[in-house]
């Protein structure tokens, strides 16, 4: 089906109480509007986004992900409201699906349901115990009879528990024939998209209701809504991975952003955060570890370890309180308390507790390169830039300030002095 999609995102989002436009608030790593556009693009080659408040900012943020979206500025001063919002869009196709930019949980598979009707308008409806805040929809058999906004509804209409979820499929002739006839003669002095339904109904056109899942069509209007949608999104993300064979221990304590990939026989323990563009393959991420924008393959991480962006860990174990940043570790063990930044560490090397790569001199960052089968004793500082070749031993407590050739021992120690009987003399 040839389909155009319009995403409404011009509203101010007053109830978010934020300087950031509502649709740029993030859920599981991405802005709400990102999800709407991503799902829309699966169904359509003609996606328009209607903006007004902080339009340039929203457009710039979305252009980081998408390059073929029509951004349309609503003439909000003259035509406010959801009806006003669609007036400036010229849709290419015969079928026009209207979505809201603040419904991040709507999936394209569910939107396909709208395309199965042969009606002039298909509108999404939900049955709610508490319909407060929504437009009410009166249904008779399989047709919509009436739609009325809460602020314009009479007492009887307010009792209706079937509400407008805010997503519609219009045949293009509806826009052509009725948009210019919209008026703002209502409680909010706005141009309502819902009045198109009203007018079409009066002319005897066919309007079908489509019952949709409440949790997927949840609109985000406040920070409370935002957190509730986050919970639903998290549940969805983790359940998808569980179906693929990933183990999550106490999943409700684990945070996984939508860009993350997990493959093979992986296990994620409680309290873990997997962020950004992270990929986990056949690995075990233990309690309270954080991995961001990194790749972990056949490795075990944590508990309480932190892998920061642009790291790659293969056949590696890092233990508690080990921080890795922008480093490649292949076949490495770093069991405890280390900072490994801007480093490249090769097979068979063992990093003792308390090892620090001193990668920053206050102005620039420098690299540490550690070869194969290097044994680094505890409490070692590697002052970068520095290269440790293969088969090297660094003694505990050493400060390495120059490159070390293959086969060598590096040791720097102040001589140990023992003064017998000192304790008694000092404390007596
Ligand atoms: C709308 C529906 C209501 C439905 C509810 C579902 C109308 C008149 N009412 O009400 O029946 O139950 O959604 O959530 O449509 N927007 C613009 N430009 C504007 C105003 C709004 O682009 O001038 C966008 C908003 O950014 C938002 C969407 O349209 O994404 C819905 O607007 P909102 O103000 O939330 O409409 P409701 O009053 O909730
Ligand atoms: Mg709303």
């Amino acid at each position: 089906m040839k389909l155009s999609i319009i995403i409404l995102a011009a509203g101010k989002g007053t109830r978010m109480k934020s300087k950031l436009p509502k649709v740029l608030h993030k859920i599981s790593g991405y802005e709400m509007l990102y999800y709407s556009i991503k799902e829309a693009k699966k169904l359509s080659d003609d996606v328009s986004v209607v903006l007004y408040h902080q339009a340039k900012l929203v457009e710039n943020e979305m252009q980081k992900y998408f390059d073929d979206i029509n951004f349309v500025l609503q003439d909000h001063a003259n035509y406010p409201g959801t009806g006003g919002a669609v007036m400036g869009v010229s849709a290419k196709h015969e079928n026009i699906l209207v979505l809201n930019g603040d419904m991040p949980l709507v999936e394209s598979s569910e939107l396909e349901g709208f395309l199965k009707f042969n009606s002039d308008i298909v509108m999404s409806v939900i049955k709610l115990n508490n319909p407060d805040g929504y437009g009410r929809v009166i249904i008779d058999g399989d047709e919509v009879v009436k739609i009325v906004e809460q602020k314009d509804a009479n007492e009887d209409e307010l009792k209706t528990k079937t509400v407008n979820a805010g997503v519609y499929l219009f045949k293009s002739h509806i826009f052509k024939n009725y948009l210019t006839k919209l008026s703002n003669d209502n409680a909010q002095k706005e141009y309502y998209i819902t009045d198109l339904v009203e007018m079409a109904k009066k002319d005897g056109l066919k309007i079908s209701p489509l019952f949709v899942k409440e949790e997927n069509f949840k609109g985000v209007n406040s920070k409370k809504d935002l957190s509730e949608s986050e919970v639903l999104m998290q549940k969805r993300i983790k359940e998808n991975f569980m179906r693929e064979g990933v183990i999550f221990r106490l999943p409700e304590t684990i945070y996984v952003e939508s860009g993350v990939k997990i493959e093979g026989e992986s296990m994620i323990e409680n309290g873990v955060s997997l962020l950004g563009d992270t990929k986990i393959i056949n690995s075990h991420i233990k309690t309270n570890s954080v991995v961001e924008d990194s790749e972990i393959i056949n490795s075990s991480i944590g508990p309480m370890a932190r892998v920061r962006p642009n790291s790659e860990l293969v056949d590696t174990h890092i233990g508690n309180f080990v921080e890795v940043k922008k480093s490649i570790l292949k076949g490495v063990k770093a069991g405890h308390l280390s900072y490994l930044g801007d480093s490249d560490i090769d097979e068979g090397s063992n990093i003792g507790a308390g090892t620090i790569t001193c990668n920053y001199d206050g102005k620039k960052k420098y690299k540490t390169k550690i070869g194969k089968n290097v044994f680094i004793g505890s409490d070692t500082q590697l002052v970068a830039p520095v290269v440790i070749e293969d088969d090297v031993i660094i003694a505990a407590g050493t400060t390495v300030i120059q490159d070390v050739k293959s086969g060598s021992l590096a040791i720097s120690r102040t001589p140990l002095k023992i003064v017998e009987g000192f304790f008694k003399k000092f404390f007596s």
Side-chain angles (χ1 to χ4, degrees):
M1 184 186 268
K2 285 284 187 192
L3 180 68
S4 291
I5 297 185
I6 303 174
I7 302 173
L8 306 186
K12 194 167 180 191
T14 317
R15 284 169 286 172
M16 288 301 271
K17 302 209 162 87
S18 175
K19 280 196 212 81
L20 192 69
K22 173 160 90 170
V23 293
L24 291 188
H25 281 78
K26 286 186 178 179
I27 284 183
S28 300
Y30 288 100
E31 298 82 359
M32 288 197 265
L33 184 56
Y34 164 85
Y35 293 101
S36 306
I37 298 177
K38 183 171 94 141
E39 294 305 302
K41 276 172 58 71
K42 289 181 190 168
L43 300 175
S44 172
D45 63 351
D46 179 34
V47 177
S48 301
V49 176
V50 181
L51 299 173
Y52 178 69
H53 290 284
Q54 294 184 265
K56 204 65 217 165
L57 175 63
V58 179
E59 180 174 344
N60 287 344
E61 289 304 311
M62 290 303 112
Q63 272 169 342
K64 292 179 186 164
Y65 308 114
F66 310 105
D67 56 8
D68 52 354
I69 303 300
N70 314 311
F71 292 95
V72 179
L73 198 66
Q74 182 177 352
D75 179 3
H76 204 275
N78 296 309
Y79 297 99
T82 48
V86 296
M87 286 176 184
V89 182
S90 38
K92 273 206 292 206
H93 301 302
E94 147 89 21
N95 296 284
I96 306 167
L97 187 65
V98 178
L99 307 178
N100 291 332
D102 61 359
M103 291 185 175
L105 295 161
V106 172
E107 288 182 300
S108 63
S109 52
E110 205 166 6
L111 293 173
E112 280 166 1
F114 286 84
L115 312 179
K116 293 184 180 135
F117 292 80
N118 194 13
S119 308
D120 299 292
I121 302 175
V122 184
M123 62 177 296
S124 56
V125 293
I126 340 173
K127 257 213 166 79
L128 293 180
N129 278 328
N130 175 14
D132 189 43
Y134 286 88
R136 309 297 204 272
V137 182
I138 320 286
I139 295 171
D140 185 17
D142 61 355
E143 289 208 33
V144 172
V145 182
K146 185 166 188 200
I147 171 164
V148 58
E149 286 308 289
Q150 169 154 313
K151 288 181 180 150
D152 303 293
N154 66 35
E155 242 173 76
D156 262 356
E157 289 163 343
L158 284 176
K159 283 184 197 141
T160 306
K161 297 201 163 172
T162 307
V163 303
N164 172 18
V167 173
Y168 321 80
L169 182 69
F170 294 97
K171 291 282 180 209
S172 59
H173 68 83
I174 299 283
F175 273 27
K176 221 173 280 147
N177 297 334
Y178 296 103
L179 265 184
T180 52
K181 295 183 186 148
L182 279 184
S183 91
N184 62 347
D185 183 16
N186 53 49
Q188 303 186 83
K189 294 277 167 281
E190 287 188 351
Y191 293 84
Y192 291 167
I193 201 169
T194 47
D195 285 350
L196 297 176
V197 179
E198 189 79 26
M199 288 190 273
K201 185 73 215 167
K202 282 207 180 103
D203 286 350
L205 298 177
K206 185 163 181 196
I207 299 147
S208 303
L210 173 66
F211 281 88
V212 293
K213 278 203 209 110
E214 181 191 348
E215 60 170 38
N216 296 349
F217 281 73
K218 196 176 159 47
V220 173
N221 293 309
S222 65
K223 297 214 166 124
K224 181 167 179 282
D225 293 339
L226 189 73
S227 71
E228 287 166 3
S229 293
E230 177 92 274
V231 170
L232 294 169
M233 183 68 88
Q234 280 298 303
K235 200 159 172 271
R236 188 186 281 175
I237 290 171
K238 286 174 275 185
E239 284 177 1
N240 282 339
F241 284 126
M242 287 182 219
R243 271 192 285 277
E244 298 301 315
V246 178
I247 298 174
F248 286 85
R249 190 167 82 189
L250 297 181
E252 58 290 357
T253 68
I254 297 170
Y255 177 69
V256 183
E257 291 192 340
S258 354
V260 171
K261 296 186 180 65
I262 312 176
E263 294 169 14
E265 294 246 2
S266 290
M267 175 170 178
I268 317 296
E269 291 186 5
N270 46 302
V272 165
S273 294
L274 303 177
L275 311 176
D277 192 13
T278 283
K279 194 166 181 183
I280 310 284
I281 303 174
N282 290 320
S283 291
H284 187 173
I285 316 297
K286 295 180 190 165
T287 306
N288 291 346
S289 296
V290 180
V291 183
E292 181 172 4
D293 291 326
S294 290
E295 227 173 282
I296 312 288
I297 304 169
N298 299 326
S299 294
S300 86
I301 307 298
M304 293 166 288
R306 179 165 182 214
V307 181
R308 290 170 51 204
N310 301 312
S311 298
E312 189 188 340
L313 278 58
V314 185
D315 300 321
T316 285
H317 164 67
I318 63 168
N320 43 216
F321 308 112
V322 172
E323 175 183 349
V324 177
K325 189 215 78 176
K326 207 174 176 185
S327 291
I328 300 174
L329 276 58
K330 293 194 168 152
V332 174
K333 286 198 173 78
H336 343 257
L337 295 157
S338 277
Y339 173 60
L340 305 170
D342 303 301
S343 59
D344 187 340
I345 312 179
D346 216 338
E347 237 176 275
S349 289
N350 193 308
I351 312 297
T355 298
I356 308 287
T357 54
C358 310
N359 61 330
Y360 185 49
D361 65 359
K363 291 183 192 157
K364 277 183 77 179
K365 306 241 163 92
Y366 301 94
K367 294 202 70 167
T368 299
K369 197 171 169 354
I370 300 172
K372 294 189 169 69
N373 305 317
V374 172
F375 181 88
I376 299 195
S378 297
D379 192 25
T380 291
Q381 300 98 52
L382 300 155
V383 182
V386 68
V387 177
I388 316 291
E389 293 185 0
D390 296 347
D391 308 319
V392 162
I393 297 176
I394 312 278
T398 297
T399 303
V400 182
I401 53 168
Q402 66 186 71
D403 294 354
V404 183
K405 285 260 171 285
S406 180
S408 317
L409 163 74
I411 178 165
S412 73
R413 272 185 200 159
T414 39
L416 177 69
K417 187 176 166 188
I418 295 181
V419 183
E420 283 181 13
F422 185 83
F423 185 94
K424 252 196 175 152
K425 248 197 266 167
F426 188 79
F427 285 110
S428 61

